[in-house]
Amino acid sequence: MCGIIGYVGSRPSKDLLIAGLERLEFRGYDSAGIALLEDDALEYVRAVGNLANLKRVVGPNGSEATTGLGHTRWATHGGVTEDNAHPLTGCEDGKLAIVLNGIVENYRELKAELEAAGHAFSSETDAEVVAHLLEAVYDGDLLEAVRAAYLRLEGHFTFVVIHHDEPQRLVGVRQQTPLVVGLGKGENFLASNLAAFLSETNRVMYPGDGDVVEVTPEHVRVIRADDGTEVDLPVEEIPWTSDIAEREGYETFMLKEIYEQPEGFRETIGDRVRHGVLVQDGLGLGEDDMRDLRRIVIVACGTAYHAAVIGRYVIEEWARVPVEPDIASEWIYRNPVLDEDTLVIGISQSGETRDTIQAMQLARSLGARTVAITNQMGSQITREVDSVIMTRSGLEVGVAASKTFSAQVGLMYLIGLELARQRGTLAPNEIEFILDQVWKLPSKMQAFLDGDHPVEDIAQRFYQEPFFLFLGRHIGLPVALEGALKLKEISYIPTEAYSAGEMKHGPIALLEEGTPVVVVATRQKVVYEKVISNIQETRARGAHVIAIATEGDEEIQHIANDVIYVPKSPAFLQAVLATLPLQLLAYRIARLRGLNVDQPRNLAKTVTVE
């Protein structure tokens, strides 16, 4: 999850590295550091805490070093200390330094071997073994040293190395975690995310696993680690501009991204819905394949898992195919039963989520059809599947996902409708009506975001509460799960999210006078009356009910203590709309508690370790 940036060119590198780390801080902020290739030695500076601490330590001095590395850390092995911060060096301090993202699984064996050979370690990290291993195999050619070291390592990792004896040269390699090359004029970048250099260039290359990449100011060379053969990677131009990675007047990235949801949703459905006709070929399945599907499995983690649960409801209802949403980190160890008539969909906003990638690799090895839904072009998951469907949300910086979630749900709608069309489970006029309503969702999302609602007032009254309960039924359940996740991850308030029908089987014991209970109570013919009954049960125990309801529902005002209305829409489409007030409520509560919503503690944007 750590952030990496490397620069080699003609400009002083220090400010470029710091600017890149600022754009990567969403990947980790336990500590940070830079290494600069000065004339007489490799100099590095590290600091514990967020990037502001490193900037204070580095100071305004005008280093002229034109080659350097930067790193922002999310701790896995070893505590949050300066000794464990990157860049990490070997025994010959000042000669070689590395920055690494990921986990080296066989570091214990390698460390014992290197210590027996006389190497002295100074950190608790698994990453330091890479620096010493490189030092041990280095014989004047950094590219060959990286290649040799890579072949000894096990795990999932990306690292970039700098060496004092080879100025204006960086070498990196990836294994199941991200690495991207940025191509400039007389300068080049290596990074774990293109946001690090997007303000400098939008021309990129995406190395694959086992690709060793050498960059100098004038060239990029890529070879395969296993046999040394040259690799000719295509150059892509990214349509994102640098201002996309800035807050554009919003107080935080998260707030900006909440308000970008209508546009992100509109872009995602975009040309996939034309004049009421569904155009969706990203499933990679022929018409016969879609008709013959017997089962769908959707694997994901965190917020993406909640999109998967919504997918279960809509696909089963519309296409009449059994759907099993599952948490990827659990599913991969279940010895799942799959065959060629099973479609496995993996959802990952970054495309680098380790557990989801492993799930897709397993599904493919067992003969299932595989599709990835991701927001990142060229990410690892796109290499592990038969077909890819991109969300088109633009860069999401805030750790707590918002606009990528609504886009993922939009794709669940389109997949469900496409399968229904091919399988004949919905009449053409029904599909046309639902598509029209999907097309109108961005306008309804915008109307809610621009409108007046009592979110601020509710947040002011409840931001100091020690506990929240979230309830929902049917399509409202995954919305409740997502709302609870948002509140706990950015406000640090303990929450429980439950099916409202399960409340009596335990969670009702948590209720006392004034306990805030958020209930997703949008109009759904199947369960609406049941939800109303559940609200009354909570009120009878003294709870304070905050209901998310559909515009025009006057009945709910007499039952709930507070009501936040969202625009009318068909029941299944309410999921996108009902999530908006829950995002805003979590956001306002966190801000009133004085918290950094873009960088919640202990979390990182991209989970590249298991």
Side-chain angles (χ1 to χ4, degrees), residues 273 275-278 417 426-439:
V273 180
H275 309 296
V277 177
L278 186 65
L417 290 169
L426 284 180
N429 63 318
E430 290 182 279
I431 294 174
E432 183 178 353
F433 170 77
I434 298 171
L435 279 175
D436 180 63
Q437 294 299 309
V438 171
W439 187 257

Side-chain angles (χ1 to χ4, degrees), residues 199-479:
S199 61
E200 308 299 330
T201 180
N202 68 340
R203 299 178 64 243
V204 303
M205 298 165 63
Y206 294 104
D209 287 343
D211 285 348
V212 183
V213 184
E214 173 192 76
V215 296
T216 71
E218 302 298 335
H219 84 275
V220 174
R221 182 186 177 201
V222 184
I223 65 169
R224 291 295 301 161
D226 52 3
D227 58 13
T229 58
E230 298 274 347
V231 178
D232 185 18
L233 294 179
V235 178
E236 300 183 25
E237 291 197 6
I238 302 300
W240 297 344
T241 55
S242 61
D243 64 334
I244 291 177
E246 303 300 331
R247 292 196 298 269
E248 298 178 2
Y250 290 92
E251 64 178 2
T252 64
F253 281 111
M254 183 179 178
L255 186 62
K256 171 177 177 281
E257 289 155 8
I258 288 172
Y259 277 82
E260 287 176 338
Q261 287 180 99
E263 184 60 27
F265 191 95
R266 185 177 290 112
E267 286 294 317
T268 294
I269 64 173
D271 58 358
R272 292 162 173 153
V273 180
R274 298 177 192 161
H275 309 296
V277 177
L278 186 65
V279 181
Q280 177 60 275
D281 58 4
L283 283 173
L285 301 176
E287 295 180 4
D288 290 341
D289 296 324
M290 282 188 264
R291 284 192 288 268
D292 293 340
L293 271 181
R294 294 191 301 170
R295 177 166 160 255
I296 296 173
V297 175
I298 311 177
V299 290
C301 301
T303 285
Y305 170 71
H306 301 151
V309 178
I310 292 172
R312 172 179 62 189
Y313 282 101
V314 299
I315 294 172
E316 286 190 343
E317 178 74 17
W318 295 340
R320 309 305 298 155
V321 183
V323 179
E324 174 191 323
D326 223 319
I327 298 169
S329 58
E330 291 295 322
W331 186 81
I332 57 179
Y333 296 111
R334 270 181 39 202
N335 193 18
V337 180
L338 300 175
D339 56 33
E340 62 181 10
D341 294 327
T342 302
L343 174 66
V344 179
I345 302 173
I347 309 177
S348 167
Q349 69 83 20
S350 68
E352 304 289 348
T353 307
R354 178 65 186 159
D355 299 306
T356 309
I357 290 170
Q358 286 182 300
M360 301 313 288
Q361 291 170 332
L362 176 60
R364 210 174 187 185
S365 72
L366 294 175
R369 313 292 183 90
T370 55
V371 176
I373 292 176
T374 183
N375 197 49
Q376 294 286 348
M377 295 175 286
S379 56
Q380 176 71 18
I381 202 169
T382 65
R383 302 180 176 92
E384 306 294 347
V385 293
D386 301 316
S387 186
V388 178
I389 309 175
M390 299 296 301
T391 53
R392 299 163 180 166
S393 302
L395 184 63
E396 186 176 68
V397 174
V399 168
S402 54
K403 63 180 181 176
T404 52
F405 171 75
S406 55
Q408 290 163 359
V409 174
L411 288 179
M412 291 291 99
Y413 294 153
L414 298 191
I415 289 170
L417 290 169
E418 172 68 357
L419 290 171
R421 181 165 70 99
Q422 296 295 342
R423 297 167 68 88
T425 51
L426 284 180
N429 63 318
E430 290 182 279
I431 294 174
E432 183 178 353
F433 170 77
I434 298 171
L435 279 175
D436 180 63
Q437 294 299 309
V438 171
W439 187 257
K440 291 176 179 177
L441 277 175
S443 297
K444 294 179 179 180
M445 296 163 72
Q446 193 67 58
F448 174 82
L449 292 170
D450 291 343
D452 294 324
H453 37 66
V455 169
E456 179 66 31
D457 174 62
I458 294 169
Q460 289 281 354
R461 285 185 279 128
F462 291 99
Y463 76 94
Q464 293 180 314
E465 289 293 324
F467 170 74
F468 276 70
L469 179 64
F470 283 70
L471 299 174
R473 298 187 82 152
H474 201 254
I475 199 69
L477 174 58
V479 175

